[in-house]
Amino acid sequence: PRIVVLAGGVGGSRFVLGVRGALRARGVDDTAAALTVVVNTGDDIWLSGVRLQPDVDSITYALAGVNDTERGWGRRGDSERVNHELQEWGAGWPWFTLGDLDLGTHLARTGWLREGLTPTDVLERMSHRWDLGARLLPMTDAEVDTMVVLDDGTRLHFQEWWTRHRATLTPTRFENPGIDTATAAPGVAEAIAAADAVLLAPSNPVVSIGPILGVPGVREALRATAAPIVGVSPIIGGKVVRGMADVCLTAIGVETSAAAVAGLYGARESRGLLDAWLLAEEDEAAAGAVAGLGIRPLVRPLWMTDAARRSALGEAALTA
Ligand code: GDP
Ligand code: FO1
Ligand code: CA
């Protein structure tokens, strides 16, 4: 099979682990040939001279089994010696931690970018260190930031808004300067066109899936593919599992509910994207509303708390 997943960081990586697990359970040996992940790069940033790709790294580390599962970002068991030194110099951001092992990744990536490799090339090169069992593609090779605009007009980078202010400053909108002139990374449109199924991970609809869909050509490729498009709700029981998707959704005028997020993506039959939507047992009452949108609702357990649950969800999405 040829499966394409659109994904952000924490929710994205848990789901990609699940899809890889489900493919393995189905007897697919070469999951890297079967599974392509298009990763959000909208929250990437330059800091202390190095390029950070939080969602790319979350997925890479999770597939490699070296991720910090508690925090949801960075390497497990990392130390912070270099970070301490950067703080002493007054470099970087005092509220933002760059782990030592994680910095190795950023240095390698930045070096290759400066040698002229594209982000796609760099990610391909980085995929060889571990047996990831998936092909990772950045959504675009262009640098696209996510900026948060507050009601007094202040604009700050998503990473500052989230890691410094913990989403306590109320946003009025999110912007991705540069996205209109960006193009999808090589292979993205082709993978979507050739897919047997496209899965939208239960990632943040606004700042993870939103930027991917905002890259010119991606939405068109999704609308054109013969593959069914199946989404998984990041909202369980009317709440975010973790993170700040609720604050992001409120800012764009969308209720924090499984049905409202399905409505945001829209039904394929009415110029949206979704053929089917997996919603949690806790949200069973919303199934009718999802069906009313023209999207096939499937009530399933959506908690990805361990490998078995993740793979079961991956299998449910593949079956759908
Ligand atoms: P980020 O880039 O690190 O913010 O991560 P993503 O955008 O990929 O995913 C964030 C979303 O994942 C949040 O809105 C969470 O609600 C969702 N999420 C995290 N864990 C789970 C889970 O076990 N099940 C479901 N359905 N959603 C989850
Ligand atoms: N998140 C934090 O809340 N605090 C941090 O200090 C922090 C550092 C960090 C370093 C590298 C990296 O790839 C991610 C990091 N994150 C940190 C996570 C990241 O800011 C966000 O959780 C995601 O971008 C949200 O999608
Ligand atoms: Ca992210």
Side-chain angles (χ1 to χ4, degrees):
R2 286 160 300 181
I3 311 299
V4 174
V5 180
L6 310 192
V10 178
S13 56
R14 290 177 179 166
F15 183 68
V16 169
L17 286 177
V19 176
R20 186 185 66 178
L23 287 169
R24 284 181 180 160
R26 283 182 174 207
V28 177
D29 291 326
D30 188 2
T31 57
L35 176 57
T36 298
V37 185
V38 178
V39 187
N40 172 45
T41 58
D43 48 19
D44 295 5
I45 189 167
W46 287 97
L47 209 59
S48 295
V50 293
R51 187 70 174 156
L52 306 194
Q53 297 202 287
D55 291 357
V56 163
D57 289 347
S58 288
I59 293 188
T60 304
Y61 294 158
L63 287 169
V66 300
N67 58 317
D68 186 320
T69 49
E70 300 279 297
R71 288 187 312 194
W73 50 272
R75 293 282 296 271
R76 187 191 318 129
D78 210 347
S79 50
E80 298 174 5
R81 294 193 68 196
V82 178
N83 192 66
H84 180 77
E85 199 60 12
L86 287 168
Q87 307 290 320
E88 291 293 319
W89 285 116
W93 281 341
W95 61 86
F96 201 82
T97 308
L98 296 175
D100 294 330
L101 298 176
D102 200 28
L103 264 164
T105 305
H106 308 323
L107 284 174
R109 171 165 45 228
T110 304
W112 289 327
L113 289 171
R114 293 186 71 169
E115 285 168 22
L117 270 67
T118 64
T120 301
D121 297 335
V122 171
L123 188 47
E124 206 270 328
R125 190 174 281 194
M126 289 197 148
S127 299
H128 294 307
R129 175 170 174 191
W130 293 293
D131 180 15
L132 301 181
R135 180 169 72 124
L136 306 188
L137 300 176
M139 65 186 199
T140 178
D141 281 338
E143 283 184 18
V144 173
D145 291 313
T146 296
M147 305 298 294
V148 185
V149 185
L150 310 180
D151 47 13
D152 65 358
T154 313
R155 294 173 93 243
L156 60 172
H157 194 281
F158 169 78
Q159 291 295 348
E160 182 175 2
W161 175 75
W162 169 235
T163 64
R164 182 183 188 184
H165 300 289
R166 307 308 318 176
T168 53
L169 306 176
T170 307
T172 53
R173 62 179 188 276
F174 295 86
E175 293 179 351
N176 295 115
I179 202 162
D180 294 340
T181 53
T183 53
V188 170
E190 293 83 349
I192 292 170
D196 296 314
V198 177
L199 311 178
L200 305 191
S203 288
N204 188 311
V206 184
V207 295
S208 291
I209 303 295
I212 303 175
L213 299 178
V215 174
V218 172
R219 194 180 283 274
E220 293 76 3
L222 291 167
R223 293 275 310 144
T225 185
I229 303 180
V230 177
V232 181
S233 176
I235 307 300
I236 299 182
K239 291 193 177 66
V240 287
V241 177
R242 59 182 288 168
M244 39 36 218
D246 46 354
V247 183
C248 300
L249 286 165
T250 303
I252 64 162
V254 176
E255 187 188 301
T256 301
S257 74
V261 175
L264 174 65
Y265 293 140
R268 240 219 194 167
E269 62 177 40
S270 40
R271 288 189 287 125
L273 298 175
L274 295 174
D275 293 294
W277 183 243
L278 272 60
L279 65 168
E281 297 161 312
E282 293 88 332
D283 297 306
E284 191 168 2
V290 174
L293 294 166
I295 301 163
R296 186 160 59 99
L298 293 156
V299 177
R300 296 287 182 274
L302 294 196
W303 290 99
M304 301 185 287
T305 37
D306 58 44
R309 288 187 178 88
R310 285 192 294 266
S311 295
L313 180 56
E315 176 55 37
L318 292 177
T319 308

